[in-house]
Each structure stands twice: as structure tokens, then as C-alpha cells.
Amino acid sequence: MNYQTSPGAPVRSGIPEHGRVPKYYAVKAKIALMVDELGEGGLLPTERDLAVRYEVSRETVRQALRELLLEGRLRRQGRGTVVAGPKLEQPLSLASYTEGVRRQGRRPGRSLISLDRFPCPEALAPEVGAERGEPVWHMERVLLADDERVGLESTYVSEARAPRLDTEFDPDSSFYAYLHDRLGISFGDADERIETVLATPREALLIGTPPALPMLLIHRVSRDTAGRPLERVRTLYRGDRFSFTAHLGQQN
């Protein structure tokens, strides 16, 4: 059996055991080789040219390109298709989004969509350390990397923990840094849950992606060093632009 030798590559390049390869997948494999040769920013031939080159229909080429776009290997640029850069690696840790992006030499940023205050509902109360009906902040921001929209973040925190959030905090900066440097609050631990979802039409519009693009959704509930509930965060990351890393160690 001829296995792939590239680390992390699918066994036998994803060929089914019966050996019959879907036509679009064969074309996808050939385009993937072209992608490697072109390098980041390289312009792909048109769908028509690819169909002629590989002697298949344009619909077959379109399906192959669609998968490579969803995987983040390609991206649309104007009316053409170019090779995308490597995915952003976000660590699963208490480090903020800002720190994770900076470590990869990219410029992090956020664009404020809304900052509202509302009475805390019962379901949210234990997660932010508030009583039902007490004021809670909801801050929604688009995540940026070198001015590219890559995600959408919703943060919930009680007004008691950040009473002047609307006047003191720069929405383009790190919320974690604000809590630590301005309010003297340090993060102790957090629980996270990750799932794949499709963005709602509103979310897709804010992030600038088609609704069919898979998203990585992270739910986080954080506590301070004293173990008190601090914040609840819901973050959508573009599935074609992000991967997540974690260091695993032996439990004591």
C-alpha cells in the first residue's frame, strides 16, 4: 500500500479503498500541486482554462476549487482566485486573541460593532458573577488580522466588574490587557467548548464571508485568580483562516 509520507497528509491521499476516485477530487489534487508551486499570492488560471487543461467540465473544476477555498488553500481576489497564506494558529490558552496574532507577526485589531448594557438574564448570571437583573455589558467586535476580517467576538461582563467600560476602554485594544492594567483583574482559569457552525446571515455579513463557509465557534467562561466568575465570550473564527493549537501534558 502506497501511503503518503508527508506528515499530517491523508492516508493514500484520500483515495477510497475501492480505488475509484471522484473526478472532482482528482482535479482538486492536481490544482493543489499547482497551488504549492505558485506560492502565496499566486494567481490561478481561470475555470475555463483549468477545465481545458484537465479535460473536465467547468462544474467539476468549480467543485474542486470550492473545496480548496473552504479549506483555506485559496481565496478570491477581485474576479480571480489566488493562493492564500498560511492559517493563523490561535493557542487554546488564557492568552488573548491579540497576543496570539502578534506572535505570528500579524497586526491584530478589532472593530467595534456595539457596546450595550442590559439587565442580566438568569441563564447568564452565574457565568459573569451577577445577580439576575443587574446591569451587564455586551460588547460585539469584528476581529482583524492585518485589516482582514477573520472573526466575530461577543463579550459579556458585569458592570460591577468594569463600571466605566464605555468611557475608559479602547475597543480596538485587548480587553484582557484593560482588565489587568487598568482594573487590576487577572485571569485565573477558563472553560472552553469548541464546535463547528455556519454563521447566521448577519454574522456572515459582518465577517465578510459567504454563509456556507464553516466557522469555528468557541464558548469561553473565565474566572479571576480568586475563582470568581468574570466573563463569558462567544467567538466565531473563520474556518478557512484559523487553526487551533494546544499543549497537552500528563495530569498529576
Side-chain angles (χ1 to χ4, degrees):
M1 185 177 291
N2 181 25
Y3 286 95
Q4 275 278 0
T5 56
S6 175
V11 174
R12 296 182 61 193
S13 299
I15 298 172
E17 298 308 316
H18 55 58
R20 295 190 295 274
V21 182
K23 186 176 292 185
Y24 87 89
Y25 188 88
V27 173
K28 176 185 173 184
K30 293 173 182 177
I31 297 176
L33 290 175
M34 183 189 301
V35 166
D36 293 336
E37 293 172 358
L38 288 172
E40 182 177 351
L43 180 65
L44 257 68
T46 65
E47 288 183 2
R48 171 184 280 183
D49 291 341
L50 289 170
V52 171
R53 176 181 301 196
Y54 300 128
E55 300 180 338
V56 296
S57 69
R58 290 184 65 175
E59 179 54 38
T60 297
V61 170
R62 195 170 293 125
Q63 185 176 358
L65 292 175
R66 190 181 302 123
E67 288 204 359
L68 290 168
L69 284 162
L70 289 175
E71 292 172 4
R73 301 288 305 278
L74 301 173
R75 62 182 174 85
R76 299 294 189 190
Q77 182 170 290
R79 298 182 65 181
T81 303
V82 300
V83 179
K87 290 187 178 184
L88 289 160
E89 292 186 0
Q90 186 70 1
L92 293 173
S93 68
L94 284 174
S96 70
Y97 167 79
T98 300
E99 296 168 2
V101 172
R102 279 180 179 157
R103 278 201 292 265
Q104 296 169 78
R106 303 287 294 274
R107 187 178 71 258
R110 291 177 173 88
S111 177
L112 181 67
I113 302 301
S114 63
L115 177 58
D116 303 309
R117 186 167 39 198
F118 64 99
C120 185
E122 186 172 353
L124 182 63
E127 297 180 334
V128 296
E131 296 293 330
R132 178 181 177 182
E134 290 183 347
V136 168
W137 293 110
H138 171 234
M139 178 168 57
E140 186 177 41
R141 299 182 290 175
V142 172
L143 302 177
L144 307 171
D146 291 341
D147 295 325
E148 177 188 10
R149 289 179 285 175
V150 293
L152 184 66
E153 178 183 77
S154 288
T155 302
Y156 300 86
V157 62
S158 72
E159 185 188 47
R161 301 303 295 268
R164 292 174 293 279
L165 187 64
D166 56 339
T167 57
E168 286 186 348
F169 177 61
D170 175 8
D172 186 42
S173 64
S174 167
F175 182 57
Y176 289 14
Y178 167 73
L179 290 176
H180 182 271
D181 300 341
R182 191 67 181 258
L183 303 180
I185 300 173
S186 296
F187 283 78
D189 65 281
D191 295 317
E192 286 190 337
R193 177 167 56 88
I194 305 176
E195 57 184 309
T196 56
V197 297
L198 296 177
T200 66
R202 176 181 178 273
E203 291 168 338
L205 182 64
L206 289 172
I207 302 173
T209 59
L213 180 71
M215 295 281 176
L216 295 167
L217 172 60
I218 291 190
H219 303 271
R220 171 184 280 197
V221 177
S222 305
R223 291 167 288 273
D224 62 20
T225 51
R228 295 175 297 181
L230 181 54
E231 63 157 7
R232 187 190 192 283
V233 182
R234 179 186 186 274
T235 310
L236 275 175
Y237 293 95
R238 288 177 53 164
D240 64 335
R241 299 302 297 128
F242 271 91
S243 64
F244 290 89
T245 61
H247 173 73
L248 305 178
Q250 193 78 0
Q251 286 188 335
N252 295 326

